[in-house]
Amino acid sequence: MLLMLLPWLVGGVAACAFLPQLPWQDVPSHPLADQHPALRRAFWSELDTPVLQSAPRYTLRFTVDVSRRLITGTASITVTNRTESPWSDVALRLYPNLAHYGGGNSLELLSVTSQGEPLPFASIESGTAALINLPTLLLPQETTSMDIRYRVRYPRHIRDGYWLFGEYKGIVALPLAYPILALPKSDGSWVLSDGIPLGDALSAEAAFYHVWATVPATMTLVSSAVVRATTPHTPTQQITYELVSGPAREFTLLLGNYQYVEQVVNDLRVRVFYLPGDERAAQTALHYALAALGVYQRYFGPYPFVKLDVVEASLLNRGMEYPTLNLLGTYLFREERDKLEFLTAHEIGHQWWYNLVGNDQVGEPWLDEGLTEYSTYFYYEYIYGRDVAERLRKTRWEIPLNYVRSRDLDAPLGLPATAYSLDNYETIVYGKGALFFHTLRLRLGDEMFLKALRQYRERFAYRVATAHDLQQMFESVSNTSLQDVFSEWVYGGY
Ligand SMILES: [Zn+2]
């Protein structure tokens, strides 16, 4: 019960108190007004920042046919070249074609046009990406749009597993089931690395989504966006959801036989979607989610979105983060309830470190995983006291790292996901990552550490940060060179 009370009352929420909106205060002419329902009123002004005004925009219209496990749809993508190099092509990632998603040709591009004219495109990177040739060079600051017809086939899994993509026991999980822009590099090329099954595959800029999803009316839809309108189609027993997102790294959709519990705190709605029979665990997860939101807002800065969902999914005893949406494996709601709190606190930390502050999750996986992992230290310290947080630090991070070191498997933090193995990926990227942030905190003191972290969140919200950006931020806030600690932990002595 302790968990329900404290952080909200003393946390950062009061500063963003919701004021009811009067009709004449609406700004229908704002170019991003469609996205307003996804953001808390106090954060609408963030839509006026240049980074969001020039952010990519997606309009997706698709139908999910669950009997054929088939999605057919269109994607209209508007993108501005925000690099300093002209683009002769635009790269799209086709994540369902990754071996650990659907594999093969799960996501097929049927046509690509721009203003009605066909654009040639080629499959690259073993089908996990496509290169769209632009008719003319897209110069820096110029914008282009393309319309894509696509089709996605998703798998049905037959045994228990960590299933990010596809159907298992009536839950349909459809992350990244559309073509998404690759992350542009400053030299005009694109981030195209696939990563590893253990790590997150996505690297993306913050973008806006406006989605019309037609799905079976008998299933509950949960998504990374908010519902703006619904249109039932009685003869076909389908329903079309109109969904809008705030700035988001991706769009994700789940369908299932879900029920939910919720709590509304001012203008923020927190829900836990669960399968029949798991209501008690869902209530517990709701308490943890509320507590984590309160603690993280207090320490790291505000959460600008109107909703946060936690959803039971086919992920064993693990979790996965999406924008305003956190998946937790069914085991955590049932036989492994003792891990529910930690996983809830971890995944919700990603709303700050992955969705708000983005990074290349394949190239620098430790940046979001290490910081998210360390965020849980603040959660346990605030809720239960420092002794409990210290126990977490020792048992979850320090002992495993010492073990990995004893086997000569230590490695620097700053490597791409592909440089680690099954034997050391999690211990280094998560555990050593968390210990690195703890070391920084001890070096700078609590006040300076948190000031730098809040400024990192503020400066890089809706952007893509690098280890170098992190170092510069901590050095400038503390007015201290941290080259030695970054060299030792991140760059491996360089
Ligand atoms: Zn994580």
Side-chain angles (χ1 to χ4, degrees):
M1 295 315 287
L2 174 71
L3 300 176
M4 283 192 66
L5 301 176
L6 295 172
W8 282 110
L9 300 178
V10 294
V13 181
C16 319
F18 177 65
L19 295 172
Q21 180 204 347
L22 301 171
W24 57 85
Q25 290 178 316
D26 199 1
V27 196
S29 59
H30 193 287
L32 289 168
D34 280 352
Q35 322 297 142
H36 280 162
L39 284 163
R40 296 161 69 188
R41 186 73 167 86
F43 298 93
W44 285 9
S45 59
E46 299 203 355
L47 298 176
D48 296 324
T49 54
V51 66
L52 291 186
Q53 289 200 325
S54 62
R57 296 186 207 175
Y58 294 81
T59 303
L60 308 178
R61 294 172 193 270
F62 59 83
T63 300
V64 182
D65 180 342
V66 294
S67 62
R68 297 165 69 198
R69 299 195 300 281
L70 178 69
I71 303 165
T72 46
T74 59
S76 296
I77 305 175
T78 301
V79 57
T80 299
N81 180 353
R82 298 188 286 185
T83 73
E84 287 166 10
S85 307
W87 290 350
S88 56
D89 45 51
V90 169
L92 299 172
R93 299 304 314 269
L94 314 177
Y95 284 103
N97 298 346
L98 289 181
H100 56 284
Y101 276 60
N105 207 15
S106 295
L107 169 47
E108 239 179 304
L109 301 188
L110 304 176
S111 69
V112 184
T113 58
S114 183
Q115 295 178 324
E117 294 298 315
L119 296 182
F121 60 94
S123 171
I124 55 171
E125 302 291 319
S126 312
T128 62
L131 214 48
I132 315 297
N133 284 124
L134 298 175
T136 54
L137 279 182
L138 191 72
L139 300 176
Q141 303 313 317
E142 285 185 344
T143 298
T144 190
S145 294
M146 59 188 81
D147 300 301
I148 301 160
R149 286 194 310 115
Y150 66 94
R151 179 165 61 203
V152 183
R153 294 181 190 283
Y154 59 84
R156 173 181 287 152
H157 305 287
I158 50 172
R159 67 180 81 82
D160 233 359
Y162 182 74
W163 303 129
L164 288 174
F165 182 80
E167 180 198 333
Y168 180 66
K169 285 190 177 173
I171 297 178
V172 180
L174 299 172
L176 293 165
Y178 60 94
I180 185 173
L181 291 162
L183 187 64
K185 295 188 198 173
S186 58
D187 64 0
S189 65
W190 304 86
V191 174
L192 296 172
S193 39
D194 286 349
I196 55 172
L198 270 180
D200 298 333
L202 177 74
S203 300
E205 297 191 292
F208 292 102
Y209 287 86
H210 199 156
V211 178
W212 282 262
T214 301
V215 303
T218 50
M219 301 178 87
T220 303
L221 174 144
V222 192
S223 87
S224 55
V226 300
V227 177
R228 198 172 175 213
T230 53
T231 310
H233 311 286
T234 313
T236 57
Q237 293 197 311
Q238 290 174 306
I239 185 165
T240 299
Y241 290 87
E242 182 190 353
L243 303 153
V244 293
S245 79
R249 302 286 161 185
E250 59 188 301
F251 174 75
T252 296
L253 177 81
L254 284 105
L255 299 168
N257 179 24
Y258 285 119
Q259 299 166 314
Y260 68 87
V261 291
E262 70 171 345
Q263 188 157 331
V264 178
V265 184
N266 297 326
D267 55 345
L268 174 50
R269 184 184 194 194
V270 182
R271 285 177 297 185
V272 178
F273 289 85
Y274 63 94
L275 298 173
D278 296 335
E279 180 172 358
R280 277 191 62 177
Q283 287 285 4
T284 308
L286 180 62
H287 297 169
Y288 297 151
L290 288 160
L293 260 172
V295 171
Y296 298 159
Q297 291 206 94
R298 175 189 174 86
Y299 286 124
F300 309 147
Y303 179 82
F305 307 107
V306 295
K307 66 103 167 167
L308 181 88
D309 296 325
V310 172
V311 186
E312 185 174 351
S314 308
L315 297 179
L316 306 176
N317 61 0
R318 306 173 72 97
M320 183 64 188
E321 71 279 10
Y322 297 105
T324 72
L325 181 69
N326 307 276
L327 304 191
L328 294 176
T330 293
Y331 291 13
L332 300 164
F333 286 72
R334 298 180 184 171
E335 58 269 51
E336 297 188 42
R337 295 258 291 268
D338 56 319
K339 296 180 183 141
L340 181 61
E341 182 167 20
F342 180 82
L343 268 288
T344 306
H346 176 98
E347 299 308 335
I348 289 177
H350 275 301
Q351 298 305 325
W352 278 258
W353 322 122
Y354 141 77
N355 192 35
L356 279 174
V357 178
N359 62 294
D360 176 348
Q361 294 193 106
V362 175
E364 295 186 304
W366 77 279
L367 257 189
D368 65 303
E369 290 302 352
L371 189 46
T372 296
E373 189 78 358
Y374 189 57
S375 298
T376 65
Y377 187 100
F378 283 98
Y379 172 89
Y380 282 93
E381 187 177 29
Y382 188 87
I383 303 287
Y384 298 111
R386 179 155 298 188
D387 287 352
V388 175
E390 275 296 292
R391 204 154 58 232
L392 175 84
R393 181 177 69 77
K394 289 201 178 85
T395 55
R396 192 170 168 88
W397 307 323
E398 199 170 84
I399 292 171
L401 180 60
N402 287 339
Y403 176 68
V404 155
R405 281 177 169 157
S406 76
R407 296 174 61 207
D408 223 10
L409 290 167
D410 194 8
L413 287 173
L415 303 178
T418 46
Y420 302 101
S421 70
L422 264 176
D423 291 329
N424 68 356
Y425 177 76
E426 286 199 22
T427 305
I428 302 293
V429 168
Y430 291 63
K432 186 175 176 180
L435 292 171
F436 165 76
F437 284 102
H438 193 66
T439 303
L440 264 189
R441 177 180 171 180
L442 294 181
R443 170 93 161 251
L444 300 176
D446 283 9
E447 196 180 325
M448 192 67 80
F449 177 82
L450 282 168
K451 185 177 172 191
L453 207 49
R454 273 195 293 271
Q455 288 202 19
Y456 176 67
R457 177 246 177 261
E458 187 74 28
R459 167 75 180 82
F460 293 100
Y462 317 124
R463 297 172 187 275
V464 175
T466 63
H468 185 66
D469 293 327
L470 180 83
Q471 181 178 350
Q472 277 197 326
M473 178 56 73
F474 274 75
E475 286 184 336
S476 77
V477 169
S478 65
N479 202 20
T480 312
S481 170
L482 298 167
Q483 188 57 42
D484 57 338
V485 66
F486 273 81
S487 290
E488 182 191 338
W489 288 76
V490 180
Y491 307 121
Y494 297 102

